[in-house]
Amino acid sequence: MANGLAGAAREAATPLLASDEPPVVDLQDSGNGPFVFLCEHASNRLPKALGDLGLPAEALTRHIAWDPGAAAMTLGLATRLGSPAILQSYSRLVIDCNREPGLPDAITTLSEDTEIPGNRDLGPAARQQRVDAIWAPFHAAIDDLVATRIAARTPTVIVTLHSFTPVYRGLPRPWHVGIISSGERSFAEAMLSALRRDAALEVGDDEPYSARDHVDYTIRRHGFDRGLPHVMIEVRNDLVQSATDVAAWVDRLAAALVECATATGLPPTQED
């Protein structure tokens, strides 16, 4: 763990990402369908310059570092619905791309009940380095894609995919899936209606998070602020542990998204 702290201390003096590390933005061009699928917490990868942030390897497999199952759902939906996807390639412990960068938990020192030693005592230059290297390129890529679609008058719904823990600080979370919106609720309400027709599902409305928790940055910036339909989908992560689980959720969510796109006046979407 000492290596992680030393790496964090050096970060402002050296490039955050080496030339042989994966790019921040993983753009999957799966077609020109009406959805833009986004995944801010797709990976638990740390830049080499940060070492392990002072954490044991086990901690980086947990939800504090990423959203297990979210990337697989994102890619599955993009392929199924013939739409592009943008995934972020580094852990939210470096910087959370679903937060405004000035918020304290954008570079958190405590995630759930786990301290993040390598994020303590960062100066302005070190924080800005993470914004410039990871946060800004991710959102710039989304800006470019969405602006191109708007210029071409391509119907666009912003959809972000996340997963959440069954228990948070000792409190059970009964929902199987949660639907979160930012400002304008028409698409979210259509999703709630579609998913709640399955009596076996416990569907949360602005649960387990909401805009009050500052989790709506991406859908607000790229959806609400542009007047585009948008929704944030949270699936409980114990329900997407296997490829079979993920495939079942891709089936369920794809059907609901197609139905809602049509119901809210977008051109009919054909599933592959």
Side-chain angles (χ1 to χ4, degrees):
M1 286 193 288
N3 178 57
L5 294 175
R10 291 193 305 269
E11 74 173 292
T14 59
L16 186 61
L17 297 176
S19 60
D20 61 346
E21 292 186 89
V24 168
V25 175
D26 180 6
L27 171 60
Q28 299 290 322
D29 185 5
S30 300
N32 206 35
F35 304 100
V36 170
F37 291 105
L38 307 173
C39 192
E40 304 97 315
H41 305 148
S43 175
N44 59 357
R45 181 183 291 110
L46 296 177
K48 296 175 185 176
L50 299 186
D52 53 23
L53 288 176
L55 294 167
E58 175 275 332
L60 297 175
T61 68
R62 290 163 40 209
H63 182 266
I64 65 168
W66 63 325
D67 280 359
M73 287 190 290
T74 301
L75 295 172
L77 284 166
T79 299
R80 175 73 63 85
L81 299 179
S83 295
I86 295 179
L87 300 87
Q88 207 282 108
S89 301
Y90 290 87
S91 172
R92 62 157 145 243
L93 293 177
V94 181
I95 187 167
D96 192 328
C97 287
N98 195 30
R99 299 290 191 279
E100 295 187 39
L103 291 175
D105 63 347
I107 304 176
T108 189
T109 58
L110 181 69
S111 185
E112 298 183 16
D113 293 319
T114 300
E115 293 189 4
I116 316 300
N119 286 349
R120 287 200 300 257
D121 303 320
L122 295 183
R127 295 183 69 89
Q128 190 62 44
Q129 184 185 52
R130 298 194 194 187
V131 174
D132 294 344
I134 291 180
W135 187 95
F138 176 72
H139 287 288
I142 302 169
D143 283 335
D144 289 346
L145 174 61
V146 175
T148 298
R149 291 171 66 91
I150 290 173
R153 298 188 177 182
T154 303
T156 297
V157 182
I158 303 298
V159 182
T160 69
L161 275 299
H162 296 256
S163 68
F164 66 95
T165 56
V167 177
Y168 181 73
R169 292 182 173 174
L171 295 177
R173 290 160 149 180
W175 311 283
H176 300 101
V177 59
I179 298 298
I180 292 93
S181 60
S182 181
E184 207 287 317
R185 285 179 52 85
S186 60
F187 200 87
E189 287 175 350
M191 284 291 290
L192 287 165
S193 178
L195 292 170
R196 283 173 171 167
R197 285 203 301 273
D198 184 344
L201 287 183
E202 185 72 28
V203 183
D205 181 359
D206 279 337
E207 296 287 0
Y209 307 106
S210 75
R212 295 185 300 276
D213 304 305
H214 306 294
V215 301
D216 66 329
Y217 181 80
T218 299
I219 55 173
R220 174 162 39 89
R221 171 172 170 170
H222 301 290
F224 178 74
D225 287 353
R226 286 188 168 98
L228 297 175
H230 59 274
V231 68
M232 175 176 165
I233 301 173
E234 289 265 6
V235 177
R236 208 173 68 205
N237 66 21
D238 62 323
L239 304 178
V240 285
Q241 292 185 342
S242 70
T244 300
D245 295 338
V246 168
W249 276 99
V250 168
D251 288 346
R252 180 181 288 118
L253 294 174
L257 287 165
V258 169
E259 174 186 322
C260 295
T262 304
T264 54
L266 292 168
T269 304
Q270 298 297 320
E271 296 184 53
D272 289 347

